[in-house]
Structures are given as C-alpha cells and as structure tokens.
Amino acid sequence: MNSSAHSPFPVPPTRAALMNCIDMALAEDLGPSGDLTTDLLIPPSSRARARIISREPGKLCGAVVLGPLFGRLDPQVSVTETIAEGGRFEAGATLATLEGATRALLTGERIALNLMARLSGIATLTARFVQAAGGQARVVDTRKTTPGLRALERYAVRCGGGHNHRFNLSDGILIKDNHRVACADLADAVQRTRAGTPHPIRIEVEVESLEQARSARDAGADILLLDNMAPQAMEAVMNELGHDVLYEASGGVSLETIGAIAATGVDLISIGALTHSARSLDFSLELEA
Amino acid sequence: MNSSAHSPFPVPPTRAALMNCIDMALAEDLGPSGDLTTDLLIPPSSRARARIISREPGKLCGAVVLGPLFGRLDPQVSVTETIAEGGRFEAGATLATLEGATRALLTGERIALNLMARLSGIATLTARFVQAAGGQARVVDTRKTTPGLRALERYAVRCGGGHNHRFNLSDGILIKDNHRVACADLADAVQRTRAGTPHPIRIEVEVESLEQARSARDAGADILLLDNMAPQAMEAVMNELGHDVLYEASGGVSLETIGAIAATGVDLISIGALTHSARSLDFSLELEA
Amino acid sequence: MNSSAHSPFPVPPTRAALMNCIDMALAEDLGPSGDLTTDLLIPPSSRARARIISREPGKLCGAVVLGPLFGRLDPQVSVTETIAEGGRFEAGATLATLEGATRALLTGERIALNLMARLSGIATLTARFVQAAGGQARVVDTRKTTPGLRALERYAVRCGGGHNHRFNLSDGILIKDNHRVACADLADAVQRTRAGTPHPIRIEVEVESLEQARSARDAGADILLLDNMAPQAMEAVMNELGHDVLYEASGGVSLETIGAIAATGVDLISIGALTHSARSLDFSLELEA
Amino acid sequence: MNSSAHSPFPVPPTRAALMNCIDMALAEDLGPSGDLTTDLLIPPSSRARARIISREPGKLCGAVVLGPLFGRLDPQVSVTETIAEGGRFEAGATLATLEGATRALLTGERIALNLMARLSGIATLTARFVQAAGGQARVVDTRKTTPGLRALERYAVRCGGGHNHRFNLSDGILIKDNHRVACADLADAVQRTRAGTPHPIRIEVEVESLEQARSARDAGADILLLDNMAPQAMEAVMNELGHDVLYEASGGVSLETIGAIAATGVDLISIGALTHSARSLDFSLELEA
Amino acid sequence: MNSSAHSPFPVPPTRAALMNCIDMALAEDLGPSGDLTTDLLIPPSSRARARIISREPGKLCGAVVLGPLFGRLDPQVSVTETIAEGGRFEAGATLATLEGATRALLTGERIALNLMARLSGIATLTARFVQAAGGQARVVDTRKTTPGLRALERYAVRCGGGHNHRFNLSDGILIKDNHRVACADLADAVQRTRAGTPHPIRIEVEVESLEQARSARDAGADILLLDNMAPQAMEAVMNELGHDVLYEASGGVSLETIGAIAATGVDLISIGALTHSARSLDFSLELEA
Amino acid sequence: MNSSAHSPFPVPPTRAALMNCIDMALAEDLGPSGDLTTDLLIPPSSRARARIISREPGKLCGAVVLGPLFGRLDPQVSVTETIAEGGRFEAGATLATLEGATRALLTGERIALNLMARLSGIATLTARFVQAAGGQARVVDTRKTTPGLRALERYAVRCGGGHNHRFNLSDGILIKDNHRVACADLADAVQRTRAGTPHPIRIEVEVESLEQARSARDAGADILLLDNMAPQAMEAVMNELGHDVLYEASGGVSLETIGAIAATGVDLISIGALTHSARSLDFSLELEA
C-alpha cells in the first residue's frame, strides 16, 4: 500500500465545503452590522497590499480559502500564493500576498488567519508524524475533527502527507468495542454488515487481542483495527494471520512511539491528535504602509 | 472591575447556537445513509446505559450539548450530569451518564465527545490562566476562535472563569495597527467612530507606546489595548494616564508571564491561545455491558 | 456474497433525509397560503379516519413517511401500518389507516400518495428483477435516481430485496470509460486512486473485454464492472481471472435477460431502470364517511 | 380555449427553481469529498469536449439545466444546444455539446443526464397524449409530480405541448370527493370558498354524475371536474348545462381513450401519468477522445 | 360577490409562514449571545405572569404568533387569548395573558409587540375602510406589503374584514400599463396569457378609460382593473359593458372617497395603504409584580 | 457627543443583509412560477429604460437595493442613481434610472418600490425629527423595527440623519422596568451585568424619577434612560447628577415635543415611531415608451 511515487497533489475540498465554511465564518464574524471600525474609517475606494506571514516554521494548508474568502468581500481582490499548499516554510516567510480594497483586506483578516493557522497547524503536526513513521505505514486521521470543519481538516491531513480514514458513519463500516457489547456473535455481525453494506465498502473490525483478531478474520473482516496493542502483540497477529487483510494500529500513538509501531509492518496508523490537539500556528497579516 | 462576588453562573449559548452546531455536526458525521454499522447490528428496540468518562483532570464545559444532541437521535434519552458545567473533575471521573436507545448512544458518541473534549480543553486552559493571573485582572478571549464554534468556545472561556471580549466586528470598535496605517489622524479616527457607532459601545484603540497611549486617550478612547508591551511599560502608561480608561494587555501572554502582567493593574488580559491552541481532553463513552 | 439468511430488515432513511424530503414537499405543495379549499371548508376541530388503498398488487415502500408527514400537519394524527415496509399486497389492499384532524388528512393526502406510490413502484420493480435473478446475484441500484430523492429511492430498492451501490461520487471509486479517454495508463490510474482514497473504499474499474478485464485486475482493481458484455463473455472473464475480485454486470439488463446474466456467476447486477423508469403504483386515500 | 396560434414558447422555470434543484442534486451526488475518481485522475488544467446523445427518439426538455449546472463546476464551460427545448429528435441525435474543464464535464455528467432524461421522458409522453387528443382539448398535468421537481416537471409538460393545472394547494380551489364527505351542502361549500378565495382564482368542483354536475353549476362553480365519467356521460352533462363553465375530464385517461374523451368537447383533460409514470429516455454523455 | 353570511373565520397563515417569520425575528433580535440583560439578572427557574395591553382601541390581529413565539423560548409558556383574532378592543384592554418562565416572557416581549402592533394596525385600518365602503364591495389588499411579511399582512387584512388579491406574480395575471407600453396589441396579449396560464386563474387587465375597458372586455379579460377613474367614469363603464366581468377599482382610494367608489357597484376596491402605510398600534407587555 | 463635522456617509447594510432581504422578497413575490404575465407577454430579448419617480418630497433611502435586486433578474441591468442616498428630493423627482431587460424591470418593479418607499419614508420622518431637535441631541432608533428588516431600517434612520441604538439583545445591556420587577436590588443588578458583559459594552438603566436615576448612577450605570419624564424633571436629574453618564430620553416623543426635550441637554432621544409608524412614500416606476 505504499503510494509515494504516484501520490497526486492533495485534492482540495469541494467548492461547496469551502464556501459553506467561509460563509458561516463571515456571518459569525461580521455580525448584523458588518465591520464597524473599518467601514467608519476606511473609504470604499481605498486600495492596499498586504502579506500573510508566519512567525514560525511549518507546512502550509489553507491558502485555498483566500481567493473565495476575499472574493466574497471584494470581487477585485487578487491573491498570490508564494508558498504552495503542502509546502514547507521557515519563520518569517511570506505565505501569500493580497491586493485589493483596503476594507476587504481588513475585514477578512481574522477569518483568513483563523482558518490558515489552524489548518497549517494540523498539516505541520501530521508531517511530523509521517516523518517519524519513516514511510513504512500510512498515517491516517480519525473522526475526532472539529464539528463543521471535517472536510477542511481532512484536507490539512493530506497536505501534511497523511491519508484519510472514512469521512463519516455512512461511508465505512467499523465494528467497535461498544458494538460488540450489544452484539455478541462476531461472525454473525460481520455477515449482517456485509449483507447490508454497499459492496464498494470494506468491513473493519476493532480487536484487542490475537484471539479477537483471529475470530474477526475468520468472520470475514477486510480490515483489522488493532486497538491499543503493543508492537510485539501486533507483530504476533500479523505473523499468525498473514496479510490478506489490512492492519490499522490505533490508540496511544505519539511521536515517540510511532516509529516502533510502523516498524511492525501495519498498513495504517490512525491518530486522533492530528485534528483534535494540533495548535494553531502563529500567522499574521500585515498591511503595507 | 472585580466581579467575583456577583458573578452569575456562566450563561450558556442560545438554543439556536447549540442546535445549529449540533445539526451541522450530525449532518457531517451521519452522512446520507446514517450510521450503517450501528443500524445493521443493533435492533431499534435495544436500550442501554453509558457513561462519559475523562482520563485526565480538568474543568468541564459542554455537558449542555448532551440533551439536545441525543434528543435529536432519540427523544427518550435521559441525561444525568454528574459534574456541573464549570466544575472540576479528576482523572477517571464520570462526567455524565446516559440512558436510552442503544442506537442513539452509539451514533451520537463521537459528536458528543468531540464537542465536550474540545470545550473542556478550553475551559481547563482558561482556568489555568485565571489562576495564574491571581484574580487581579479579567482573563478575556479574542476573535481567534474556530469558525462556526465561536458562541460555544466563548462559553467555554466563561466556564473556565474567563470573560468575553466583543463577539464580532459589529458589536465593538477596535482601532488596530492596520487601521492606523490607512488612517493617519488618530483623533479624527476616534471621532469618526464615535459619530457612527451605537452609543452603548465603547471605543477601544490599540497602542504600542506611552506616546500612542496618550494620544489615544486624548482623542477620546474609552479602552486602551496595550499591545506587546513589557509590564514596566504598561505601568508607566497607567501611572501617567490614570484609570479613567480601561486597560487591556495583549500579546505574548503565557502561563509564565501572566502573573507579572496582572500585577501591573491592567483591567483585562486577552489571550488568543485560550481558543486557538487548547488541546482536547481525553474523554470516552463506555456502554455498560 | 449470498446474504439472505442474515439480511436484516431494510434500514430506513435517516430522519434528516426523511424530514428534508417532507418539508420540501410541503413547501412546494402548500404554497404561501396553504390548502385554501380545505381550510375554508373544514373546521379545525373536525376529525376523521382514512385508509390508503392500492388498486394494484405490489411491494410496499414509503409507509415510513406517513408519521413524520402527517405529524407536521397535526401532532395528534395516528398512523397504523397494515402492511409492513417491504411486504407484498394485493389489489384493493389497505396499506395503512390514519386518524386525526380532517384538515391534516386532506392536506397531506397528495404528498403521501406521491411518495408512497413512487417508492412502492421502485420496490415492486426491484422485486421482479430480484425474483428473475433467481437469488444468484445481488441486484443493485445505480446513481440514476431522481435528484433530491436518492436516499429514499435507495431505500425502496432495499425494500424490494435489492442492494445499494455507492451513494455518491465521494464514497466509491469507479474508473469509467470517460476517465480512460482522458487517462491512458490504467495501472497508473488504479495506483493513483488507491493512493488518494480512504482505505475502506474498494477500487472498481469498468471494462468491456477480457483484455481490459485482465489489465484492470493486474493493475489492482478490487471490483470489475463488466459493461454491456454478453453472458458468455462474462463467463470467459471469470474463468480466466477467478474470483479474487468482485464482478458487477451492467448495461442492457432486462427482466428477460437477467436470469442468464445471473447464471454466469457474477456477484452483482446493476440496473438503472430500477429508479429511473419505474412507474408509480395506483394508490388512493379514502376518507371514511 | 384553443390557444395554438398564440402559444408563446414554453416559459422556463425561474432561476430560483433551477438553482435549487441543481444545488440539491450537486450536494447529493458530490457528497462531502467530491468526485474522488475524477479529481484523482484528471489534472485541473485538462480541457475536453463532450456530446449529449440520445439513443431513442423523443421531445427535448431540460437543456436549460446545462448552463447553470456546469457553470457551478467550471465558470468557463460553454454549452451549445443543438436541439431546441421542445424540439423533436431522432435516435442517435446530438442534443447538446459541451466544452470546458474535463473535471467539470465528468463530475456533472450524471446529474445532467438524470435531469434531462427524466424531463424529456415527460415531454415525450405529453406530446404523445397531445397528438392523440387531436388538438381538441388542452392536455393538462396534475399535482402527481415528483416531490421537489414540480416546477421542472410542469415545464416538461409545457415543452411537450401540454398545459399546467394549478401549481399547489394555495393557488387554486378544487372541491373534491373527500371534501364533500366532510362537508355535505355543496352550495354552501362553493359560497364559502368564493368568500375566502382571492378573486383571480376560479372555483372548481369534482363531480361524478349529471346530478352532481348540475348542483355544482347551480352552486356557482366555474369549472367542473368530470371524474371517471364515460364520454357519453360527459356529453350529456355538457348538453344539459352548456358551456358557461369549463369542463375538465379526469381519471382513466390513456393513449387509447383520450381521443374519444377529447371528441366530447371538454376543455381540459388532466393526466397524472404525464409526470408520475413517464420513464426516462436513454441519454448518454460521450467525451471526445 | 357578497359573502358576509358565509364568510368563515379568517384562515390564519400556514405554520411554515408563522415559524419562518418568528425564527427570523428571533435570530435578528437575540443575536449571537441571546438576551444578555435578562440572562444575567433572572434565574432560569423564575416564573411570572404578564399581560399584553393596548393603549388605544382597535381590531386585533397577531395573537396567533404568541404561542409559537414563546414556545420557542420556553415550551411551558401558556397563552390565554382574552380577545379573539379579528375582535375589537378598547383602550386599556388586556389582549392576552402569558404565564411561564420569566426569561422567556422578557426575551420575547419585543418581537411579540412588534408583530402584534403592526398586524393589528393593518387590521384596524382595514376595518375602517370596510366600514366606510358600507358592505357594497370587497376591500382588497395589494402586493404593496412588507418584504418577508406578506402572508401575515394578508392575514391582517382578512382579520380586518378585507379580502386578498393574488399572493404573487405567479398566481394571478394582471396586464398593467407598463406591459402595454411594451406589448401594443391588447387582444393578442390577452390571448397569449390565456394560452399560457393555468386555467384556474382569471385574466385581469388594467384600464384607464371606457375605450380601454371595452377593448379589454372584447379581448376576453375576466376582470377589469379601473385605475384612477372617477366614480362616474366607473359607472359609465359598467353601464356600457355589464357585469359579466368583475370590476376592481384602484388608485387614490381614501377613507373619504371609498364610499362613493363603493356606491358605483364595483366588485372590488384595492388599497395599497392597508399594508404600506398603516401605523403600529401602541401595545405593551406588563410583567405582574 | 456632537458628531456633525466628522460624520461619515451612512454605512450601508452588509451585503449579506441586503441579499437576504432581496432573496426573501424575490421568493415571496415571484412564487413558484415566476412573473407569469411578463414572461408570457415580453420576449426575453426586449430591452427598455425606466425611471423611478417620487410623487412627493422626501429624503432618499434604499437606492442601494436596486443594483443587487435587478442584478438577480438580469446581470446586465444598469442602475444610475440620480439622487444620492440620504439626499433630499422634491415631488416629481426622478430618483434613479434603470436600463436592461424589459422582463427584469417589470418583474422587479414592485419589490424595488416596496423597499425604497418604506425606507425613504423612515429616512424622511427621521429627518423631520432631527431638524425639530435642532442639532442638540442624537435622534436614535429603537428595537421597534419590522421583523426581518432591522438592518435596513437602521440604515434608513442613518440616512435620515439619525443614529442607532443597540442592534439586538446581545450587543447592549438595558435594565428595564420589567427586569426590576423581578430583580429588586438595582446595585446588585448593575454589578451582575457588569460582571457578565463583554467590557466594550456600556450598562444602561431605565429610570422614571430622580431617585431612581440617583440609585442607578450610584450603582454604576453608564447610561440613564429617562423614561417618560417631563423636560423639567430631566433637567433636574442632570443638574443633580452631572454629565459623567450619558442621558437618553424616551417615551412620548413627538415632532411637537422633541424640541423642548432636546433643549434639556440630554445626549440622546430615542423614538420608536421612526420605524414602527413611518408611512411609505408614493414612488412609482415608469417604463419609457
């Protein structure tokens, strides 16, 4: 499942996903009266240039929002991306330059920074995990994303070199611990999901031991989620069951532990922290005098 | 501006804000076909109990979503809050218990955890800043919030003992650096905003030096935002200009520096990190066997 | 891939899908002034009973809309399903009975019938195809559904004993003829999609000959879509390539031909006509005098 | 009420109706991640030409969606209509050609075909009924349309040479059988609706016999709906009551019976099958190599 | 067209129209943070009673919003209507009493008063016109309504004893002066509209002279809009053309002139001022101590 | 608080506020079928010029809707404003000219007039109050606006030379009579609101006597709302308490009384009638022959 050679450039979010997020953010931040300060101080005809700058190094994600965001405020704003999406930058780097109505630049500043700094934080953290994994397994996200921003945060994971798990509860099957509490017979459970699931979707089962792994494999699971298992235990499973199924490691993955986990030969390592605990990078927008 | 004695319990978000967020999250996470795994495995008539547990200590925010969220999935779900909003808890604590349709509990699990863990992360970080400030100044948030979640994240700041700054660009006036680049005469700028702003709103001006602070005060500013100034420089401003205006400190505030900043006597200390860089707490939902 | 023994009852559409459809239909059919005729003639306090009747035999789908639809018009309406979803009925059968405000029964009549008659038409046609296939292959739908009604029409296919293909363009990979026109190297194409696709999703490739089938299989396809191939040609492909991949037959499937296609041993037979060309059944609502 | 000479070209749906339908269809078919296959295989810069072709003869309706639909995906797509809306075409005809971003053409293909094939199916069936009626009566639609598509399906009826009945329950009065069950005195009913109805709207009453027709006419009805009456019975009504009211025939109208019904001299013949049971035509989109 | 004896009670707006208006008003007036003053001062458990009082006499319209409005804020609020919709009241009258959460009563107060005072102002003005018309003609509204409130304002006209004209541009035909500027041949225009209009809708033509009236009648108009004609001129038209068509008087209608206009025998008198120039009545909500 | 010299031109509503209102009005007035009369009579290719004219003198507000409104109907319509927003005009004046598709001009006519005539009515009435106040106090609006039109009506007040009060319940604190009924201790109430309110927002308290005013000032109120007090009583308050707080007069303000109220030296005079009882001006749109 190594994909580096053929990996296309990260596919950006759909236009609908971008615009929904941007319009929600504009409604929230402009309020019913708009940007009072700017509208009272800056004449509509004023034009300016501005730069978006990072005060720390990282990996870029989110420049894709600049055009649609500032376009909502002024159709004439032009955006120049000086760092490509997914590209690395150093502290002090200019990430993009903007030119257009001064009002639009000032009014859109905070939303632009909020989105780019958050998404770049995710991409930067993802890239650290990918590097620590040493190219031996896919680093994948989880559903532990910010409500309303999943499409964008998944894109940030891709920009960081990671991959995506299922988007939501309707485009993947994952039989978890809590399902098994309520549904004792695993073989029956796998068959029931197989019978009712669109055929393009694989069946994944969460297991915590070799014994559970074997019964899940025997029941017909396509993917085994090895939950919170030590690297040696994972190796034991794979030695015993072979590689006709995919193996996903999950639980307690840190930058310190991911190397050993990847070395076991699992196909995928899923990490909730990519999206739920990345901190925003320190970006600012500077108007040119 | 000390308010501890009279501080009412944090006012929760409006029902509209809660439901917008919950419905957005449900649409995102259920997708067009709903929770395939659960619907195929669990009969509609199955009922269960579950607990929401924290694996680390913190301050709670977000239990307010449980009722409306699970109510969307099963009108019969009952929620018992075992820790109050704004309350402290230890590792291993049960935060709330749920009882109702097993399907609803499993389908809503991830959204509940995503929201509560994020909001509690913000409340917990805010509480640490409030404690470090020693009760001498209000700890306030900024507009550096997650797009779409501002109302909820501001509530998390309140649950942590912090206070809120303006909600958006239309309910406050803040003349910032970038405005002054495009608008040279500060006295004129303050008068123009005063003339066009609803009278219940105060005028705030960002300054970086005693000289700027004096000219802003003289121009009629109600609040001075002392941006990235050292504590001694802040003290110099307040000694010189007195306390007829409010002082807000901002920029480079950390748990290490906030004590010294608060000790200067500023009224408010605003901290973007409260919302843009808090990490989610480690919460889980456990179905009872 | 035989699933008859374990097939759970068809999972109904999500509440969101049902309510979106119902509210759209109500807005469309009530218009800005509501049901003028009924509101002018029937006092609000009048109550009545009504039956939904079929004038022809068939398989039922759509009773699931009755509760939510009439509930929008009168929270007190009670619905009794006399035929279960997915059940067979004869001409003259009473499908459901309703009791509640006369106004609600009259105002909701047309929407109820429009939805149930259409969905039951799809279920009935699907059941005929399933029967003609003789249980040897899954009968599956396509994306040739009515815009806005896909979730409901897929449910109708399930009620008729059929299965669903991918819901939309984002939860399945299908490399079609038109993609290959623009993307010559199939092995490269499969690798590129594998690299960028969430791992729970299988890769499907449309082929029109044994040669194409072999190259698609060699490129790593998980599913082969045998497009418009004669039964013998399909058998030749399966004899040659074996059953490590799934086979889906498509194109020119009719009630006359499906038996022979199913007999080849393909896993799936997809039929656009299930949803794009089913005619509505002849249902009516009769108020009891 | 003959209108052939002055009949203007069918008025297309409002832009709002078109865009609502298109945006609903795009959200449904693109899903949260968009067209994965196309986005992974086709570079954004690729451009192509495509033709929309019919495999069977018919009457066109729906080309009006092509511009707005593909414009949502690529503002640069150009559409050339080679057959006019309402025009006839033979099997194999090219209905329209498209040129623009390859991604847009592939991603929009299915929605374009779903809408055009359905609407052209309705237009084609309507044209057959209009022809069979021999120009002696208006062929009109009913409210038996697809939920959400009424505005478009009524347009398809117009493209086929038919006419429209009332749009919804608020822009027409039709006292039906079920109203009379609950509202015994017909004269009173007509007066009550007349008193409460905007004066531009005529009052229509459904009748099943000469006796009912006479009492409805005497009560002041403007239009009589002759429900399920034999042609001779209709003639008897018109002979007796004359043509100061309009007559609409309804119920059991087929291509075989419509000629005799039209010959009676009724003004209108309404046919639910136009919209509830037309099958989609067989259209395809072919990318040029 | 006299309808007094059979006139049913005014049909209220649809639930959708009411809820759209109420939810729009709540979003507008609560803002992102809700009712800060009330939420900070009043505990959630506090309950109270309140009365809605008028300081001037009038005719009531709008009590229908109280239940749905306060129900959005507190499902337990009970509303008692002490004056019926359409009923007269004196200065000082209690129009309704409310009991429930104090917060809900205070937060909903302004929206309740804004809507009721406006709608009652329209009903009161309408009643004055109806009385001045002496029961000889229908007093009807126009499309000169407040954007977004048309359904409610039409209801207010009905509560005042008036009637409604067409709701919007799609449920009536009115060939006006500006149409005739661009469309010279009136006979052709009437035929074209007849040909393209659903048959339940009558054709109305605006005329300014006997000559125009005659040509419109001859062209087949069903209703003549006598625009800005003196009463004698109207009588001359009706004497000449008889009463096979309906006559609507419009333009320059005041409380002083309506009596003479009604005495001419026109069927309808339409008055824009009913909705565009009624002033709100002076209502207040008083919390009981 | 005199602001005449620096008052910038009235800031128009946000684009979101304008488009929400325009789209709501278009949906309401076009209905599901659009402008039947115009679409049937006027060919799409016809172009025309039109003028918007006032039959009475006034102050203009609302020309800002013309571009976005007609742009929704025809992107090619050009609008020329012959009177500036906020400008005075005489009877017979041409307010704006339009050129574009005849269909667009006729279809948008009523919405354009409804909005402009209403907003100009508010601006005109406001200007009369401002003039009568003699420049000595700000004339401010209230929350007694039309549901859904608050942003536009506040703009009309600004165009008339008035100022705005808080937009809604979440961007201002106003402790009113009804709050004090439920919350006896005023000093405690002011402290509680101060503690929970974002610091940019001032605290306003409604008082009815010198005694109440003194206790509110002592409790820390920033603004005193002098409710229904005689001018002499207001003067007594200001003499006693001085001008460290702002004074707002409210209640029973008419064109006759405002002069005396303004002469007392209050800072603000708020008048509900500006928005709840202004009548629409008499505007018309004339197509050029």
Side-chain angles (χ1 to χ4, degrees), chain E residues 144-175:
Chain E
K144 297 179 180 178
T145 56
T146 310
L149 297 187
R150 185 169 290 170
L152 274 67
E153 293 186 347
R154 284 161 64 93
Y155 169 58
V157 168
R158 297 195 296 272
C159 281
H163 288 78
N164 298 136
H165 208 304
R166 61 174 174 171
F167 195 103
N168 55 34
L169 293 167
S170 85
D171 64 2
I173 291 287
L174 178 45
I175 302 176

Side-chain angles (χ1 to χ4, degrees), chain A residues 1-283:
Chain A
M1 216 165 170
N2 183 297
S3 59
S4 58
H6 296 275
S7 181
F9 193 78
V11 174
T14 62
R15 182 166 176 79
L18 274 180
M19 295 317 301
N20 282 351
C21 176
I22 286 168
D23 286 340
M24 176 178 70
L26 283 168
E28 185 181 70
D29 199 37
L30 267 64
S33 309
D35 184 352
L36 281 185
T37 312
T38 297
D39 290 347
L40 288 166
L41 293 181
I42 312 292
S45 58
S46 169
R47 292 179 62 81
R49 293 169 46 91
R51 293 180 306 144
I52 295 179
I53 295 167
S54 179
R55 300 206 180 94
E56 56 182 317
K59 207 157 208 270
L60 187 68
C61 176
V64 72
V65 308
L66 295 176
L69 167 64
F70 286 102
R72 279 295 204 214
L73 298 168
D74 170 23
Q76 311 304 330
V77 168
S78 70
V79 176
T80 306
E81 300 186 15
T82 48
I83 306 284
E85 292 280 270
R88 292 198 169 279
F89 53 83
E90 295 307 309
T94 295
L95 308 175
T97 61
L98 309 167
E99 182 161 3
T102 310
R103 280 187 173 183
L105 300 184
L106 292 173
T107 299
E109 167 186 347
R110 177 52 35 222
I111 296 172
L113 297 178
N114 282 356
L115 281 168
M116 286 181 73
R118 171 178 301 268
L119 297 177
S120 296
I122 293 172
T124 302
L125 181 58
T126 301
R128 294 180 64 198
F129 273 102
V130 168
Q131 184 171 27
Q136 290 168 292
R138 279 190 178 188
V139 169
V140 299
D141 55 22
T142 66
R143 285 168 43 244
K144 298 180 181 178
T145 56
T146 311
L149 297 186
R150 185 169 289 170
L152 274 67
E153 293 186 348
R154 283 161 64 94
Y155 169 57
V157 167
R158 297 196 296 272
C159 282
H163 287 77
N164 298 136
H165 208 303
R166 60 175 174 171
F167 194 102
N168 55 34
L169 293 167
S170 85
D171 64 2
I173 291 287
L174 177 47
I175 301 175
K176 305 187 75 170
D177 217 35
N178 274 337
H179 292 109
R180 296 168 74 168
V181 167
C183 179
D185 181 345
L186 183 62
D188 178 64
V190 172
Q191 273 191 289
R192 288 164 68 93
T193 50
R194 178 82 68 203
T197 302
H199 61 276
I201 294 178
R202 290 193 178 95
I203 310 290
E204 181 164 7
V205 179
E206 178 182 311
V207 298
E208 295 175 0
S209 66
L210 171 55
E211 186 175 17
Q212 284 188 344
R214 187 185 298 117
S215 68
R217 199 271 319 260
D218 293 349
D222 301 306
I223 312 170
L224 297 184
L225 174 66
L226 308 177
D227 186 44
N228 271 309
M229 291 174 68
Q232 301 90 320
M234 296 188 204
E235 283 173 347
V237 169
M238 291 183 276
N239 286 340
E240 169 94 8
L241 303 182
H243 280 272
D244 284 347
V245 295
L246 289 176
Y247 293 97
E248 173 181 339
S250 182
V253 181
S254 68
L255 287 167
E256 289 70 39
T257 62
I258 191 171
I261 296 170
T264 64
V266 292
D267 302 283
L268 310 136
I269 305 173
S270 58
I271 308 167
L274 298 183
T275 49
H276 73 52
S277 292
R279 66 167 182 76
S280 293
L281 297 190
D282 190 1
F283 288 179

